[in-house]
mmCIF file of all heavy atoms in Angstrom:
data_model
loop_
_atom_site.group_PDB
_atom_site.id
_atom_site.type_symbol
_atom_site.label_atom_id
_atom_site.label_comp_id
_atom_site.label_asym_id
_atom_site.label_seq_id
_atom_site.Cartn_x
_atom_site.Cartn_y
_atom_site.Cartn_z
ATOM 1 N N VAL A 95 -15.796 -65.047 20.710
ATOM 2 C CA VAL A 95 -14.546 -65.788 20.900
ATOM 3 C C VAL A 95 -13.712 -65.750 19.629
ATOM 4 O O VAL A 95 -12.491 -65.543 19.681
ATOM 5 C CB VAL A 95 -14.840 -67.245 21.340
ATOM 6 C CG1 VAL A 95 -13.583 -68.098 21.278
ATOM 7 C CG2 VAL A 95 -15.443 -67.253 22.737
ATOM 8 N N ARG A 96 -14.338 -65.914 18.484
ATOM 9 C CA ARG A 96 -13.605 -65.869 17.211
ATOM 10 C C ARG A 96 -12.927 -64.512 17.033
ATOM 11 O O ARG A 96 -11.756 -64.436 16.661
ATOM 12 C CB ARG A 96 -14.546 -66.140 16.035
ATOM 13 C CG ARG A 96 -13.813 -66.255 14.697
ATOM 14 C CD ARG A 96 -14.770 -66.257 13.532
ATOM 15 N NE ARG A 96 -15.491 -65.012 13.392
ATOM 16 C CZ ARG A 96 -14.971 -63.898 12.858
ATOM 17 N NH1 ARG A 96 -13.732 -63.873 12.423
ATOM 18 N NH2 ARG A 96 -15.699 -62.803 12.760
ATOM 19 N N GLU A 97 -13.650 -63.442 17.319
ATOM 20 C CA GLU A 97 -13.083 -62.101 17.191
ATOM 21 C C GLU A 97 -11.937 -61.885 18.181
ATOM 22 O O GLU A 97 -10.910 -61.310 17.839
ATOM 23 C CB GLU A 97 -14.165 -61.040 17.397
ATOM 24 C CG GLU A 97 -15.155 -60.973 16.250
ATOM 25 C CD GLU A 97 -16.319 -60.018 16.522
ATOM 26 O OE1 GLU A 97 -16.309 -59.329 17.571
ATOM 27 O OE2 GLU A 97 -17.239 -59.981 15.692
ATOM 28 N N ALA A 98 -12.113 -62.353 19.408
ATOM 29 C CA ALA A 98 -11.074 -62.194 20.436
ATOM 30 C C ALA A 98 -9.803 -62.955 20.050
ATOM 31 O O ALA A 98 -8.686 -62.447 20.232
ATOM 32 C CB ALA A 98 -11.589 -62.680 21.782
ATOM 33 N N LEU A 99 -9.958 -64.143 19.493
ATOM 34 C CA LEU A 99 -8.787 -64.909 19.056
ATOM 35 C C LEU A 99 -8.093 -64.228 17.882
ATOM 36 O O LEU A 99 -6.862 -64.200 17.804
ATOM 37 C CB LEU A 99 -9.194 -66.340 18.695
ATOM 38 C CG LEU A 99 -9.549 -67.241 19.871
ATOM 39 C CD1 LEU A 99 -10.144 -68.553 19.380
ATOM 40 C CD2 LEU A 99 -8.334 -67.488 20.740
ATOM 41 N N GLY A 100 -8.864 -63.669 16.990
ATOM 42 C CA GLY A 100 -8.284 -62.929 15.871
ATOM 43 C C GLY A 100 -7.466 -61.748 16.339
ATOM 44 O O GLY A 100 -6.408 -61.442 15.782
ATOM 45 N N GLU A 101 -7.933 -61.074 17.391
ATOM 46 C CA GLU A 101 -7.219 -59.914 17.922
ATOM 47 C C GLU A 101 -5.885 -60.276 18.554
ATOM 48 O O GLU A 101 -4.976 -59.449 18.605
ATOM 49 C CB GLU A 101 -8.089 -59.185 18.940
ATOM 50 C CG GLU A 101 -9.262 -58.453 18.312
ATOM 51 C CD GLU A 101 -10.209 -57.843 19.329
ATOM 52 O OE1 GLU A 101 -9.873 -57.837 20.545
ATOM 53 O OE2 GLU A 101 -11.300 -57.395 18.926
ATOM 54 N N VAL A 102 -5.739 -61.528 19.046
ATOM 55 C CA VAL A 102 -4.460 -61.930 19.634
ATOM 56 C C VAL A 102 -3.582 -62.690 18.634
ATOM 57 O O VAL A 102 -2.557 -63.259 18.996
ATOM 58 C CB VAL A 102 -4.641 -62.769 20.926
ATOM 59 C CG1 VAL A 102 -5.279 -61.944 22.017
ATOM 60 C CG2 VAL A 102 -5.403 -64.048 20.667
ATOM 61 N N GLY A 103 -3.993 -62.692 17.367
ATOM 62 C CA GLY A 103 -3.137 -63.232 16.322
ATOM 63 C C GLY A 103 -3.406 -64.652 15.880
ATOM 64 O O GLY A 103 -2.626 -65.216 15.117
ATOM 65 N N VAL A 104 -4.491 -65.250 16.334
ATOM 66 C CA VAL A 104 -4.820 -66.614 15.891
ATOM 67 C C VAL A 104 -5.397 -66.518 14.483
ATOM 68 O O VAL A 104 -6.386 -65.835 14.252
ATOM 69 C CB VAL A 104 -5.831 -67.283 16.861
ATOM 70 C CG1 VAL A 104 -6.290 -68.627 16.306
ATOM 71 C CG2 VAL A 104 -5.217 -67.445 18.225
ATOM 72 N N SER A 105 -4.761 -67.221 13.540
ATOM 73 C CA SER A 105 -5.155 -67.077 12.142
ATOM 74 C C SER A 105 -6.137 -68.147 11.672
ATOM 75 O O SER A 105 -6.761 -67.996 10.634
ATOM 76 C CB SER A 105 -3.913 -67.103 11.247
ATOM 77 O OG SER A 105 -3.213 -68.320 11.430
ATOM 78 N N GLY A 106 -6.280 -69.227 12.408
ATOM 79 C CA GLY A 106 -7.209 -70.270 11.987
ATOM 80 C C GLY A 106 -7.748 -71.033 13.176
ATOM 81 O O GLY A 106 -7.090 -71.137 14.205
ATOM 82 N N LEU A 107 -8.946 -71.551 13.018
ATOM 83 C CA LEU A 107 -9.549 -72.345 14.091
ATOM 84 C C LEU A 107 -10.529 -73.324 13.507
ATOM 85 O O LEU A 107 -10.965 -73.183 12.360
ATOM 86 C CB LEU A 107 -10.210 -71.451 15.144
ATOM 87 C CG LEU A 107 -11.270 -70.435 14.696
ATOM 88 C CD1 LEU A 107 -12.659 -71.047 14.680
ATOM 89 C CD2 LEU A 107 -11.259 -69.273 15.670
ATOM 90 N N THR A 108 -10.861 -74.312 14.302
ATOM 91 C CA THR A 108 -11.851 -75.314 13.914
ATOM 92 C C THR A 108 -13.002 -75.245 14.903
ATOM 93 O O THR A 108 -12.782 -75.163 16.112
ATOM 94 C CB THR A 108 -11.240 -76.733 13.937
ATOM 95 O OG1 THR A 108 -10.148 -76.773 13.027
ATOM 96 C CG2 THR A 108 -12.266 -77.782 13.534
ATOM 97 N N VAL A 109 -14.231 -75.266 14.386
ATOM 98 C CA VAL A 109 -15.415 -75.184 15.228
ATOM 99 C C VAL A 109 -16.280 -76.417 14.981
ATOM 100 O O VAL A 109 -16.524 -76.785 13.828
ATOM 101 C CB VAL A 109 -16.226 -73.905 14.922
ATOM 102 C CG1 VAL A 109 -17.506 -73.878 15.724
ATOM 103 C CG2 VAL A 109 -15.388 -72.675 15.194
ATOM 104 N N THR A 110 -16.735 -77.032 16.065
ATOM 105 C CA THR A 110 -17.593 -78.203 15.973
ATOM 106 C C THR A 110 -18.779 -78.014 16.902
ATOM 107 O O THR A 110 -18.599 -77.578 18.046
ATOM 108 C CB THR A 110 -16.826 -79.479 16.413
ATOM 109 O OG1 THR A 110 -15.578 -79.550 15.729
ATOM 110 C CG2 THR A 110 -17.633 -80.718 16.120
ATOM 111 N N GLU A 111 -19.976 -78.313 16.423
ATOM 112 C CA GLU A 111 -21.144 -78.301 17.292
ATOM 113 C C GLU A 111 -21.159 -79.606 18.067
ATOM 114 O O GLU A 111 -21.090 -80.680 17.481
ATOM 115 C CB GLU A 111 -22.426 -78.150 16.476
ATOM 116 C CG GLU A 111 -22.552 -76.796 15.819
ATOM 117 C CD GLU A 111 -23.838 -76.638 15.024
ATOM 118 O OE1 GLU A 111 -24.727 -77.523 15.144
ATOM 119 O OE2 GLU A 111 -23.957 -75.657 14.304
ATOM 120 N N VAL A 112 -21.223 -79.506 19.400
ATOM 121 C CA VAL A 112 -21.189 -80.686 20.245
ATOM 122 C C VAL A 112 -22.314 -80.610 21.281
ATOM 123 O O VAL A 112 -22.960 -79.575 21.434
ATOM 124 C CB VAL A 112 -19.823 -80.822 20.965
ATOM 125 C CG1 VAL A 112 -18.714 -81.056 19.965
ATOM 126 C CG2 VAL A 112 -19.520 -79.609 21.823
ATOM 127 N N LYS A 113 -22.526 -81.710 21.972
ATOM 128 C CA LYS A 113 -23.486 -81.741 23.078
ATOM 129 C C LYS A 113 -22.801 -82.363 24.274
ATOM 130 O O LYS A 113 -21.962 -83.256 24.121
ATOM 131 C CB LYS A 113 -24.720 -82.571 22.704
ATOM 132 C CG LYS A 113 -25.569 -81.932 21.648
ATOM 133 C CD LYS A 113 -26.799 -82.750 21.386
ATOM 134 C CE LYS A 113 -27.647 -82.065 20.325
ATOM 135 N NZ LYS A 113 -28.949 -82.674 20.197
ATOM 136 N N GLY A 114 -23.152 -81.900 25.469
ATOM 137 C CA GLY A 114 -22.564 -82.466 26.669
ATOM 138 C C GLY A 114 -23.156 -81.847 27.902
ATOM 139 O O GLY A 114 -24.079 -81.032 27.832
ATOM 140 N N PHE A 115 -22.615 -82.258 29.052
ATOM 141 C CA PHE A 115 -23.031 -81.646 30.302
ATOM 142 C C PHE A 115 -21.907 -81.771 31.306
ATOM 143 O O PHE A 115 -21.061 -82.649 31.210
ATOM 144 C CB PHE A 115 -24.326 -82.257 30.847
ATOM 145 C CG PHE A 115 -24.171 -83.665 31.335
ATOM 146 C CD1 PHE A 115 -23.847 -83.920 32.655
ATOM 147 C CD2 PHE A 115 -24.376 -84.731 30.486
ATOM 148 C CE1 PHE A 115 -23.697 -85.220 33.108
ATOM 149 C CE2 PHE A 115 -24.240 -86.035 30.926
ATOM 150 C CZ PHE A 115 -23.897 -86.284 32.245
ATOM 151 N N GLY A 116 -21.902 -80.870 32.238
ATOM 152 C CA GLY A 116 -20.963 -80.895 33.345
ATOM 153 C C GLY A 116 -21.761 -80.772 34.613
ATOM 154 O O GLY A 116 -22.676 -81.541 34.869
ATOM 155 N N ARG A 117 -21.499 -79.724 35.356
ATOM 156 C CA ARG A 117 -22.229 -79.507 36.603
ATOM 157 C C ARG A 117 -23.672 -79.093 36.359
ATOM 158 O O ARG A 117 -24.497 -79.182 37.245
ATOM 159 C CB ARG A 117 -21.523 -78.445 37.431
ATOM 160 C CG ARG A 117 -20.209 -78.938 37.965
ATOM 161 C CD ARG A 117 -19.609 -77.962 38.918
ATOM 162 N NE ARG A 117 -18.376 -78.507 39.452
ATOM 163 C CZ ARG A 117 -17.416 -77.786 39.943
ATOM 164 N NH1 ARG A 117 -17.522 -76.477 39.977
ATOM 165 N NH2 ARG A 117 -16.337 -78.350 40.408
ATOM 166 N N GLN A 118 -23.976 -78.652 35.136
ATOM 167 C CA GLN A 118 -25.351 -78.249 34.821
ATOM 168 C C GLN A 118 -26.304 -79.429 34.934
ATOM 169 O O GLN A 118 -27.460 -79.279 35.264
ATOM 170 C CB GLN A 118 -25.440 -77.691 33.405
ATOM 171 C CG GLN A 118 -24.937 -76.278 33.275
ATOM 172 C CD GLN A 118 -25.037 -75.838 31.837
ATOM 173 O OE1 GLN A 118 -24.225 -76.238 31.031
ATOM 174 N NE2 GLN A 118 -26.007 -75.028 31.532
#
């Protein structure tokens, strides 16, 4: 995902480790 965003011109991002659930 980081590489794909870089390819479309996104120069910065924030990443956080989280926990959760949805339909799983």
Side-chain angles (χ1 to χ4, degrees):
V95 169
R96 186 191 65 78
E97 289 174 5
L99 288 171
E101 289 174 9
V102 295
V104 173
S105 59
L107 55 88
T108 300
V109 176
T110 310
E111 292 181 10
V112 295
K113 292 183 179 190
F115 69 91
R117 291 187 177 157
Q118 282 179 284

